[in-house]
Amino acid sequence: MGGPQEPGSEAWLAALWQARLLPEPLRTTDGRSIAVITPGLPNPDRGPDFRDALLLFDGCVLRCGAVEVHRFARDWEAHGHAADPVYNGVILHLVGEAGPAPHCADGTTVPEVVVPATLVSPQQAPGIRYGYAEARPCRGLRAEGDGAALAVALEEAGQRRFFEKAARFRAELGAATPDHVLYRALMEGLGYARNQDAYRALADRLPWERLAAQARVAPQLSQAWGDALLEAAGLVAEAETRAAWDRFRLLPAAQPEARLRAAGRLLARFPPHGPAQRSAAAVLAGQGRPAHLLDLLTVRAAAGDGGIGRDRAIVLAANGVLPFLWAWAEVEGREDLAAGALYRRLPAAAGGDRIT
């Protein structure tokens, strides 16, 4: 990006955007608020200035796309972006001076935020590079010993994954019941990386409603849930079906038979209201703290299975329950489910990560 690198220039605006030095929430010219989940990456090729930004509009609408930066709003037209399909994915126009609302070639209007040159002074941004800085991966930050920058990068990555998962659950809620969407997410989380697809497929083969109906008629409730899962997984049948599960280097407690028994004992806690309502109740009971939810997701080891430890409960909360509740709250208008805030209070699992 060319031009002088002084306050108000395109390079200055781009640097402020990338360094996340603009005070939030941002406000568009039509009155919407914007929280920046991640500003995206500088685009070295033809097209918008930043790609893959993740922005939250008005606290509830999540959008992923490109960001274009100009000193003057009128430069959108002057540079030919209005007729260029490459710019159809722009979700924000960041400018130094206001002007006509920009339109894309597909007819959509791009939200615009005006950043006055006096909003952030050079004294407020010491050492900022006025232009596109090289994006540094976490590995590079770790090698350089830049602990603060690494923490910021990891936090941004975690938030991005949280909202990406929430967007996925939001889409799934259009085709399945809330209970089944959350049940499938929990099963996927219990499968670890190697068997996630198999656990997810099992949940679809034995939907929540059918599983709950089967288990309710059995005298030993938690065992009945595990039995139903094992039967649907083909793990009480012939050897060739059992061999379809990836068992390479899995500890005994993580073998499919043991894991599904533990899953059955977890799922048995959700009736009569179902996993969605039961998880929401645990979040509300915690009053902003994760302990109640983690207690719900933790299952003590028992004969035949290793249970679900606290570390795995944290992963289930981060990858499944909380992004699901965010999506469900958006659909249902449940402002009381502050899932995003609770996610930020989750402790890290023993491996150091909340997101897998």
Side-chain angles (χ1 to χ4, degrees), residues 181-262:
V181 172
L182 180 53
Y183 154 64
R184 182 166 52 193
L186 291 172
M187 292 292 288
E188 185 177 333
L190 289 171
Y192 293 82
R194 192 173 302 147
N195 280 312
Q196 278 185 347
D197 290 344
Y199 278 73
R200 182 180 175 86
L202 170 59
D204 284 334
R205 193 159 58 249
L206 182 61
W208 168 260
E209 290 75 14
R210 184 148 57 88
L211 171 62
Q214 286 184 215
R216 273 198 296 266
V217 301
Q220 293 178 299
L221 190 60
S222 62
Q223 181 180 337
W225 290 78
D227 289 345
L229 290 171
L230 287 165
E231 183 176 356
L235 293 174
V236 293
E238 59 278 3
E240 57 265 26
T241 305
R242 296 167 61 87
W245 293 77
D246 190 342
R247 303 170 182 273
F248 182 65
R249 290 184 178 175
L250 285 182
L251 295 174
Q255 292 290 335
E257 293 86 352
R259 182 62 67 191
L260 290 176
R261 292 254 176 234

Side-chain angles (χ1 to χ4, degrees), residues 71-138:
R71 180 166 190 170
F72 304 103
R74 63 176 180 268
D75 288 342
W76 179 274
E77 290 281 349
H79 296 175
H81 303 334
D84 190 343
V86 171
Y87 289 82
N88 284 348
V90 173
I91 60 173
L92 180 65
H93 191 210
L94 192 71
V95 300
E97 292 186 25
H103 294 273
C104 294
D106 61 5
T108 58
T109 302
V110 181
E112 192 167 82
V113 168
V114 180
V115 181
T118 56
L119 185 62
V120 180
S121 69
Q123 290 74 29
Q124 292 173 288
I128 186 173
R129 176 180 174 181
Y130 302 160
Y132 290 138
E134 292 290 333
R136 294 186 294 170
C138 294

